[in-house]
Amino acid sequence: MTVVSQKTILRDVEHILGSGNGTLEFAVRGEEDYYTWNGVEDADWDVEDIERVENVEEDRFIMYPTGETFTCEIDASENEFNHGPVHCYCE
């Protein structure tokens, strides 16, 4: 797992795992581990172009893109307690 702790752009994101505590995990094509963004519960994030959302567990869900992959622009300044913004979309 790679923790996103600075401003980052991820391309080729196949799906995004989210949780009620504000954590987002990005599955990038061709990579084994997720990129993890540790936000707070009321963090500023939005994901456009979602084809479907599936529940994984009680407070976890997975978002799939309408296109092949998402591009995600992520603002982070620390390993934890980030406020965003995070913006994901299909190109």
Side-chain angles (χ1 to χ4, degrees):
M1 162 181 77
T2 300
V3 176
V4 177
S5 60
Q6 62 186 5
K7 194 171 220 162
T8 304
I9 296 177
L10 296 176
R11 300 187 194 292
D12 296 326
V13 176
E14 294 179 321
H15 64 268
I16 302 166
L17 284 168
S19 71
N21 68 1
T23 299
L24 297 174
E25 296 178 289
F26 306 90
V28 175
R29 180 186 299 160
E31 300 197 25
E32 290 184 30
D33 292 329
Y34 283 92
Y35 286 82
T36 301
W37 179 80
N38 293 305
V40 293
E41 283 187 37
D42 60 349
D44 177 15
W45 62 266
D46 96 281
V47 180
E48 298 178 18
D49 307 316
I50 299 171
E51 180 177 296
R52 72 182 190 280
V53 177
E54 295 177 3
N55 286 329
V56 177
E57 294 172 1
E58 184 175 313
D59 72 334
R60 292 180 53 83
F61 53 91
I62 187 168
M63 296 173 278
Y64 293 96
T66 55
E68 208 169 299
T69 60
F70 291 115
T71 295
C72 295
E73 300 170 354
I74 305 165
D75 193 9
S77 57
E78 303 189 37
N79 285 345
E80 300 181 316
F81 309 116
N82 290 290
H83 293 274
V86 175
H87 180 70
C88 298
Y89 55 91
C90 293
E91 293 192 64

